[in-house]
Amino acid sequence: MCVLHIINEGRKVFGSGTNDMNEEEEDMPGWLKDAVFYEIYPQSFCDTNGDGIGDIEGIIEKLDYIKDLGCNALWINPCFDSPFKDAGYDVRDYKKIAPRYGTNDDAARLIRECHARGMHIFFDLVPGHTSEEHEWFRESSKAEKNEYSGRYIWTDMWLAGIPGHPYIGGEAERNGTYMLNFFKCQPALNYGFLHPTARWMDGIHSENALATRAALKDVMRFWLDMGLDGFRVDMANSLVKDDDEQKSGTQDVWRDVRKMLDEEYPDAAMVAEWGVPEEAIPGGFHMDFSLDWEGSGYKTLLRDYEKEDPDLSYFRKSAHDGAPGNRANIMRFLKGYMESLKAAKAAGGYISLITGNHDTPRIRRYMGEREVALAFAVIFTLPGVPFLYYGDEIGMKYAEGMATKEGGYTRTGTRTPMQWTSGKNFGFSTADAEKLYLPVGVGNDVSVEAEEGVEGSMLEITRSILSLRHSFEDLQADADLEIVYAEEEQSVFAYRRGNLLCAVNPSGTEQTVMTGTLSAAGGDPVFAIGSGSFKDSALTLAAQSFAVWKL
Ligand code: GLC
Ligand code: CA
């Protein structure tokens, strides 16, 4: 049964929450329409002072490379002062660049250099917790009451537990235990409980919870005033404790933040690490990620190998060989995605598809270059604002078996240094190999230098897909998506964006499907990986091919 689903032009309306916004405030920053983000893990990108750790100067040096690749916006993983027990997601000072990366002046220069190239830049905002070494937490831990006593979530007795939440006792002079948000080093900031049930719990509009919101906004203003264009927001759905199912308490916080942005920084934007656009976008976010979380449709595209045997990732060629019932299937992605897209559009926001991120095994872990190229072609021609993880464009692999670094554990293999050249340390750093943040080139000797200008290389294919996206408005964030062909147990996925028809065949055999009343304006595709033909509504794609036609 063929699925045909047309998404109508969405109306920009902010859900039914308490803080509904008026028409003017709903507008999205226009630059998002054609934005493609490049995620940089700063410690592993480019080291310019030979200490073995990437730095801000290194990012500045590579801006032209990133722009040339076709990415016009950056997301930098946390670059703030930190003891680095969770790679910087344990912030010790929100307003200070970590000395190992440079200074606040360097950050200001990075922002200016981005803008000079017409690029935008996001930092990573960690709103749910700080490092246990943050000044706020040191003050909050003191026995005598002070301005920060209510900044974190404390019980009122040294032996009290926090039902359903991880908590720590015995570490502070204060008579109480405190709640964690992630690792032991990351105490939860206090945004209150949706329905407080104990004396020591604050409500979401209590004085303490509102003071935390004010502190968060103050941090945001600090960087926005420097020219920053917005934030990727860490664990965005985690703020209010014992929240309800649709996270209405946490949404209340973000709508409040969004109001500040709309009023004071209308060109700034936020992307949530939430993974549920139908909650995050009405909750105030401009964008929400599709994440590689258990049960997510996105996971079935690229990394469906943890529980499944064989690997049934849609873009794996071998996943299309199996017997019926044991084959890859685009419907597993589309079912949730189309729903989320509709909801995101209705609330005036975007879904962000990613090639990967610093928490996820690299896309090349098991997939070959052709499989990845087809995945990129689809990720970068679907609606919303896509993100490319540094190194994915050259086909860097997941480094298997790495010892954990800064709380990375199995994520460490995704965080190895960028491979620029075939020279010493792959051009990442001039330091001695044992001084590098992480070993470089583990089991994988690709580099920018080796692929630059080489037809058919991962780098050039990525560049050509991004250039395709930039040259057709129909392939960018806003154009409607119409599913033309997608069926259970079938390999081909064909979809319409405005006046373009895109189609992919990830299987190892040629496939022909009928597209109903659709037909192409001319015969030849305007873009192809592999080959395809489209005549009298019969669409044929060679094995492992992707093509785009004008209608
Ligand atoms: C997010 C980050 C991850 C970090 C965690 C705690 O999931 O992406 O890297 O460890 O939050 O801040
Ligand atoms: Ca350095």
Side-chain angles (χ1 to χ4, degrees):
M1 159 76 69
C2 186
V3 179
L4 188 77
H5 194 151
I6 298 179
I7 297 291
N8 293 317
E9 248 318 297
R11 251 199 2 108
K12 293 181 176 175
V13 192
F14 266 86
S16 49
T18 44
N19 288 3
D20 271 1
M21 303 194 175
N22 67 39
E23 288 286 321
E24 264 150 69
E25 288 169 339
E26 293 156 8
D27 276 341
M28 295 282 279
W31 63 269
L32 291 175
K33 281 186 198 314
D34 186 29
V36 178
F37 275 81
Y38 189 81
E39 178 189 347
I40 294 179
Y41 197 65
Q43 47 272 63
S44 294
F45 195 57
C46 178
D47 170 28
T48 56
N49 64 353
D51 66 354
I53 300 180
D55 40 54
I56 294 196
E57 183 58 39
I59 300 174
I60 295 174
E61 279 187 14
K62 299 298 184 185
L63 286 178
D64 288 331
Y65 163 78
I66 297 165
K67 175 118 203 256
D68 252 27
L69 174 63
C71 294
N72 50 19
L74 303 182
W75 154 28
I76 316 287
N77 286 110
C79 50
F80 312 106
D81 181 43
S82 166
F84 292 106
K85 288 186 176 173
D86 185 15
Y89 283 96
D90 46 333
V91 178
R92 186 164 49 201
D93 184 345
Y94 286 106
K95 295 186 179 177
K96 183 183 173 193
I97 294 291
R100 74 185 199 184
Y101 299 136
T103 63
N104 283 19
D105 284 346
D106 293 331
R109 200 155 44 86
L110 170 62
I111 295 168
R112 283 199 305 275
E113 292 288 342
C114 283
H115 293 168
R117 289 166 177 78
M119 299 167 80
H120 291 84
I121 174 167
F122 280 12
F123 283 169
D124 209 315
L125 183 69
V126 188
H129 48 270
T130 66
S131 159
E132 62 196 346
E133 293 183 22
H134 195 291
E135 197 52 35
W136 296 343
F137 189 68
R138 292 184 191 284
E139 289 298 312
S140 200
S141 304
K142 290 184 176 161
E144 62 281 7
K145 205 167 176 331
N146 61 60
E147 188 187 340
Y148 301 99
S149 300
R151 183 58 54 87
Y152 297 82
I153 302 173
W154 291 87
T155 62
D156 55 1
M157 239 299 275
W158 63 274
L159 203 51
I162 299 181
H165 297 281
Y167 65 94
I168 297 287
E171 295 258 311
E173 65 178 31
R174 175 173 174 163
N175 178 21
T177 60
Y178 60 91
M179 192 186 289
L180 301 177
N181 217 34
F182 198 67
F183 287 155
K184 183 260 161 191
C185 62
Q186 291 156 319
L189 283 161
N190 181 17
Y191 293 89
F193 287 72
L194 189 63
H195 301 297
T197 54
R199 231 177 358 181
W200 52 266
M201 293 179 181
D202 289 313
I204 68 170
H205 295 119
S206 62
E207 198 182 320
N208 284 335
L210 292 182
T212 307
R213 285 191 195 190
L216 172 69
K217 289 187 205 163
D218 175 60
V219 166
M220 295 176 78
R221 284 194 181 98
F222 179 82
W223 295 107
L224 293 168
D225 286 342
M226 196 181 276
L228 195 77
D229 300 297
F231 301 91
R232 175 270 187 181
V233 180
D234 185 69
M235 289 177 65
N237 58 356
S238 74
L239 305 191
V240 167
K241 302 309 175 195
D242 295 346
D243 213 344
D244 58 16
E245 219 180 310
Q246 70 269 25
K247 305 265 176 191
S248 57
T250 298
Q251 286 179 322
D252 190 83
V253 177
W254 291 117
R255 283 200 198 103
D256 185 16
V257 170
R258 173 65 179 267
K259 195 159 176 286
M260 168 187 94
L261 292 186
D262 286 345
E263 284 169 12
E264 299 170 38
Y265 308 93
D267 263 342
M270 306 184 286
V271 58
E273 185 197 29
W274 192 308
V276 188
E278 39 278 70
E279 293 169 5
I281 309 293
F285 280 89
H286 302 76
M287 303 169 266
D288 185 25
F289 288 118
S290 277
L291 289 160
D292 205 51
W293 289 348
E294 217 31 70
S296 81
Y298 168 79
K299 193 177 179 65
T300 70
L301 293 179
L302 311 172
R303 299 178 187 83
D304 206 5
Y305 47 71
E306 268 151 28
K307 296 223 170 75
E308 300 277 356
D309 185 25
D311 180 348
L312 286 182
S313 308
Y314 176 72
F315 289 102
R316 283 302 296 276
K317 178 166 77 119
S318 59
H320 296 266
D321 296 344
N326 210 4
R327 270 188 216 149
N329 192 337
I330 193 69
M331 296 305 292
R332 289 193 296 158
F333 164 69
L334 284 181
K335 276 178 197 147
Y337 176 74
M338 294 309 281
E339 285 296 307
S340 300
L341 187 63
K342 205 165 147 187
K345 227 177 165 170
Y350 298 127
I351 292 178
S352 286
L353 293 172
I354 61 175
T355 65
N357 68 23
H358 62 291
D359 293 330
T360 294
R362 279 197 186 269
I363 189 170
R364 279 276 278 121
R365 185 178 196 178
Y366 299 127
M367 288 213 276
E369 291 192 352
R370 184 58 166 260
E371 290 167 331
V372 172
L374 298 179
F376 282 8
V378 172
I379 287 172
F380 293 125
T381 55
L382 285 176
V385 180
F387 281 65
L388 175 76
Y389 184 57
Y390 84 96
D392 281 353
E393 75 276 24
I394 53 170
M396 270 174 66
K397 282 202 169 171
Y398 175 78
E400 303 284 348
M402 298 280 291
T404 186
K405 176 87 178 186
E406 297 184 347
Y409 300 94
T410 56
R411 306 177 294 183
T412 308
T414 291
R415 301 174 173 186
T416 58
M418 178 68 178
Q419 298 172 197
W420 296 102
T421 70
S422 45
K424 183 180 176 186
N425 297 329
F426 289 80
F428 162 65
S429 167
T430 56
D432 291 341
E434 66 279 4
K435 278 187 69 192
L436 299 183
Y437 177 76
L438 281 171
V440 60
V442 186
N444 185 215
D445 61 2
V446 299
S447 72
V448 170
E449 185 185 61
E451 297 185 23
E452 187 84 63
V454 176
E455 211 191 308
S457 66
M458 267 310 321
L459 179 62
E460 293 304 335
I461 287 181
T462 308
R463 195 171 269 159
S464 67
I465 297 167
L466 292 178
S467 141
L468 172 78
R469 181 180 175 99
H470 294 305
S471 54
F472 289 100
E473 212 181 311
D474 279 345
L475 295 179
Q476 297 163 11
D478 285 331
D480 287 348
L481 171 70
E482 176 191 339
I483 305 302
V484 172
Y485 185 91
E487 294 196 33
E488 310 265 358
E489 302 294 334
Q490 296 299 322
S491 300
V492 171
F493 169 39
Y495 49 101
R496 181 177 176 165
R497 303 279 330 269
N499 276 321
L500 297 173
L501 176 72
C502 305
V504 66
N505 169 22
S507 80
T509 52
E510 183 183 281
Q511 307 276 336
T512 298
V513 302
M514 301 307 289
T515 61
T517 53
L518 275 189
S519 58
D524 290 336
V526 290
F527 179 89
I529 296 170
S531 64
S533 68
F534 184 26
K535 222 178 149 219
D536 302 332
S537 69
L539 177 77
T540 300
L541 286 168
Q544 290 196 290
S545 290
F546 170 86
V548 179
W549 287 269
K550 271 191 185 152
L551 294 171

